[in-house]
């Protein structure tokens, strides 16, 4: 199998706990592939399947954070909400986004 076109190998290696190894990619942005895995690395080079699976796991775990951050009101708007509606009103506003994008 090959590396998926959206798999970020650096993030996949981080997810696998192998990011401290020395390696070279053919290019910095996706799609990319490992072209050199240092022989002095303590870990073996992960397979394409392992990298794809690890990236998918990372993306699933992080995606809700990105979605929430994009939908939360700005900090000044949140402070204004607290001022006018109190903490309970602010919590109700924030809860809409939290419910829309729950933690996995």
């Amino acid at each position: 199998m090959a590396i998926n076109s959206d798999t970020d190998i650096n993030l996949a290696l981080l997810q696998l706990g192998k990011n401290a190894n020395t390696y070279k990619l053919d290019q910095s942005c996706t799609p990319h592939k490992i072209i050199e895995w240092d022989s002095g690395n303590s870990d073996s080079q992960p397979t394409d399947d392992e990298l794809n699976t690890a990236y998918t796991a990372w993306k699933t775990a992080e995606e809700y954070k990105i979605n929430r951050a994009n939908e939360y009101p700005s900090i000044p708007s949140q402070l204004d909400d607290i001022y006018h509606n109190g903490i309970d009103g602010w919590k109700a506003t924030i809860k809409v986004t939290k419910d829309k994008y729950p933690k996995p």
Side-chain angles (χ1 to χ4, degrees), residues 3 5-6 15-16 35 46 51-52 69 74 92 100 104:
I3 295 289
S5 63
D6 69 329
Q15 180 74 16
L16 291 168
I35 57 172
L51 291 168
N52 290 329
S74 67
K100 186 174 179 181

Side-chain angles (χ1 to χ4, degrees), residues 33-101:
K33 62 183 176 180
I34 297 173
I35 57 172
E36 183 180 320
W37 188 263
D38 193 286
S39 61
N41 288 338
S42 58
D43 297 312
S44 60
Q45 181 175 341
T47 65
D48 290 351
D49 285 341
E50 290 171 325
L51 291 168
N52 290 329
T53 299
Y55 179 71
T56 300
W58 176 87
K59 187 176 174 183
T60 299
E62 297 296 313
E63 197 166 36
Y64 84 96
K65 294 177 189 177
I66 295 164
N67 290 334
R68 283 182 179 184
N70 288 334
E71 284 205 27
Y72 281 142
S74 67
I75 297 298
S77 294
Q78 289 185 47
L79 291 172
D80 194 51
D81 192 14
I82 291 169
Y83 178 79
H84 290 287
N85 303 310
I87 293 295
D88 289 337
W90 169 78
K91 283 182 177 180
T93 300
I94 296 301
K95 188 174 182 330
V96 171
T97 301
K98 287 185 177 287
D99 289 346
K100 186 174 179 181
Y101 302 108

